[in-house]
Amino acid sequence: MLSEQEKLDSLTRLGIELSQINDLDILMERVLTRARQFVNADAGSIYIRQNDWLHFSYTQNDTLERQLPKGEKLIYSTFKIPIDTKSIAGYVAATGRSLNIEDVYSLEATLPYSFTKKFDETTGYKTCSVLTIPLENSSRAILGILQIINARDEGGQISVFSRQDERIMYHFAAVAAVALERAQMTRALILRMIRMAEMRDPRETGAHVNRVAGFAVEIYEHWAVRHHIDSKVIDKTRDVLRMAAMLHDVGKVATSDLILKKPDRLNEDEYEIMKQHTIQGARLFMHQQSDFDEAAGLVALNHHERWDGMGYPGHIDFRTGQPIKEYLTAEGRVRGKKGSEIPLFGRIVALADVYDALSSKRAYKEAWDERHILDQIEKNAGSHFDPELVEIFFSRYEILRSIQMRYVDEK
Ligand code: C2E
Ligand code: SIN
Ligand code: SIN
Ligand code: SIN
Ligand code: FE
Ligand code: FE
């Protein structure tokens, strides 16, 4: 247990420590850890609001974690509760009022809410004292709740949360709320960027970006399972990659209409200008503030590289557009990135983008027929495309087709 002095020191440092974390997941875990440390609580959770539901999003439980084999983490089935006054969590989200309950199993029958026993029944855990605090944004909308469970006294016995604990927990709730609001604003901003890019280039409608993103996520997921990536990481990456893939051509906003909307083949000079969309896109995400910025920058920059090194823009510094010296050829030309020099997300979106571009009618070309497209992709495994990803493409082909059917171009 922390002494009063340690608590004070820790609170002072907390603001700085937490403000340096950009990743929402890491931040929420840290908020839970620190909040629990303060009041010596055995368990805690953060629920995030989506419309009329609270989703059980982050959780820590010392007792249950001790029972797990070493190195393993708690796994919860995705669990959500409606925002109404019937449950403890729902009541706090619905009313914006915190609840400090001494024992959830002896709640008075006259109260509107009761304890949801499902969690205890599933895990064998015994919940007793529960402190639940709303997470509110700057305009007092409820973003979720912070719930701290089973306070312990110096002897490790379960006890109740004091008024002082409550006040301190408000501090943690505020930190979590700011982080959550920031993440949600980033997301909203990205969705707005996607709409702006569509307005600029309505030929390539939302359907195109949705298809490319859908293909990319499907291919990634299969790649990740093959490579034994942790399922929690996969879940998180899906979301990040989907947004990033939707923005793969966002750099085209910097291309002139004469080129962007040319109803004919591009000449060599025009094509050179068009290729700048990779660098322009990467620059939009230069000041990385989240995983989204990082992934979006990677995808924008690398989606026209080729596995055989013949793609663009190659080994340049996208900030300046200048070649990176170590990678110049003897003739002084920039070398394309090759094989695994190309980030995975770039390799995935390259395949997804070309598949969709060939399937679509453009101002300058007709859509190809499916047989012809598949031949082209197969033929280009190991030249244009990462051969492993082509293999995955064919093994998931039925699903890719169903994604394609879901997003049809408006005509
Ligand atoms: P996009 O339309 O999204 O095409 C993405 C990529 O799909 C192309 O990258 C290319 O690798 C492939 N692709 C698309 N159409 C064809 C095709 O008919 N044949 C073959 N073999 N591959 C195709 P790329 O070539 O680097 O082009 C980047 C972007 O430049 C294209 O994005 C498109 O917006 C524009 N673009 C490329 N060529 C032309 C052109 O001849 N006329 C016009 N107006 N725009 C072009
Ligand atoms: C509830 O708020 O009723 C559920 C709390 C929990 O199961 O941890
Ligand atoms: C095109 O045909 O539009 C681009 C050339 C290619 O990548 O094959
Ligand atoms: C990554 O996850 O981006 C690295 C894997 C790879 O590029 O092969
Ligand atoms: Fe592109
Ligand atoms: Fe594209």
Side-chain angles (χ1 to χ4, degrees), residues 60 202 206 210 255 268 288 355 378 411:
Q60 294 176 352
N210 275 305
T255 311
E268 215 171 292
Q288 293 178 4
Y355 176 53
E378 196 173 13
K411 276 286 132 57

Side-chain angles (χ1 to χ4, degrees), residues 282-293:
R283 284 183 185 152
L284 286 173
F285 303 102
M286 202 151 63
H287 304 288
Q288 293 178 4
Q289 299 191 338
S290 67
D291 289 0
F292 285 120
D293 299 281

Side-chain angles (χ1 to χ4, degrees), residues 32-58:
L32 274 178
T33 307
R34 292 280 183 263
R36 291 194 309 113
Q37 243 172 31
F38 251 90
V39 294
N40 202 28
D42 189 49
S45 308
I46 291 172
Y47 292 67
I48 293 177
R49 176 192 193 145
Q50 273 173 33
N51 302 315
D52 297 329
W53 295 84
L54 284 175
H55 290 252
F56 195 61
S57 303
Y58 302 90

Side-chain angles (χ1 to χ4, degrees), residues 130-250:
V130 174
L131 176 58
T132 310
I133 306 222
L135 303 179
E136 289 178 328
N137 72 5
S138 45
S139 36
R140 304 215 61 197
I142 305 283
L143 304 178
I145 59 154
L146 168 67
Q147 192 165 62
I148 305 291
I149 297 169
N150 288 354
R152 284 172 301 194
D153 60 22
E154 283 88 349
Q157 295 303 306
I158 302 299
S159 69
V160 301
F161 293 99
S162 67
R163 293 292 297 173
Q164 198 204 338
D165 291 344
E166 247 178 83
R167 281 196 298 273
I168 289 174
M169 285 307 116
Y170 264 98
H171 189 72
F172 286 94
V175 172
V178 168
L180 203 56
E181 184 171 33
R182 193 171 62 182
Q184 290 175 349
M185 280 167 64
T186 302
R187 203 186 162 84
L189 211 69
I190 287 170
L191 291 171
R192 231 169 281 148
M193 267 176 98
I194 290 167
R195 282 203 297 276
M196 270 174 64
E198 280 166 30
M199 278 156 75
R200 182 67 215 293
D201 188 14
R203 261 182 327 128
E204 290 192 26
T205 55
H208 168 66
V209 297
N210 275 305
R211 285 192 303 261
V212 171
F215 300 154
V217 168
E218 181 60 34
I219 294 168
Y220 165 75
E221 202 168 358
H222 205 69
W223 180 94
V225 169
R226 274 190 177 205
H227 290 253
H228 310 291
I229 307 290
D230 182 75
S231 67
K232 242 180 136 173
V233 174
I234 297 180
D235 270 354
K236 185 177 154 185
T237 306
R238 285 171 57 95
D239 207 39
V240 171
L241 176 58
R242 180 180 304 281
M243 291 280 190
M246 287 180 90
L247 287 164
H248 70 277
D249 275 337
V250 71

Side-chain angles (χ1 to χ4, degrees), residues 49-85:
R49 176 192 193 145
Q50 273 173 33
N51 302 315
D52 297 329
W53 295 84
L54 284 175
H55 290 252
F56 195 61
S57 303
Y58 302 90
T59 193
Q60 294 176 352
N61 186 313
D62 286 347
T63 299
L64 293 179
E65 271 158 51
R66 260 198 311 275
Q67 293 163 4
L68 287 172
K70 224 179 149 76
E72 260 182 60
K73 289 192 150 186
L74 284 179
I75 300 171
Y76 284 90
S77 50
T78 42
F79 158 48
K80 57 178 187 177
I81 39 184
I83 297 184
D84 57 30
T85 56

Side-chain angles (χ1 to χ4, degrees), residues 250-263:
V250 71
K252 284 183 184 173
V253 296
T255 311
S256 89
D257 272 351
L258 286 177
I259 296 174
L260 189 65
K261 298 182 177 165
K262 185 177 179 181

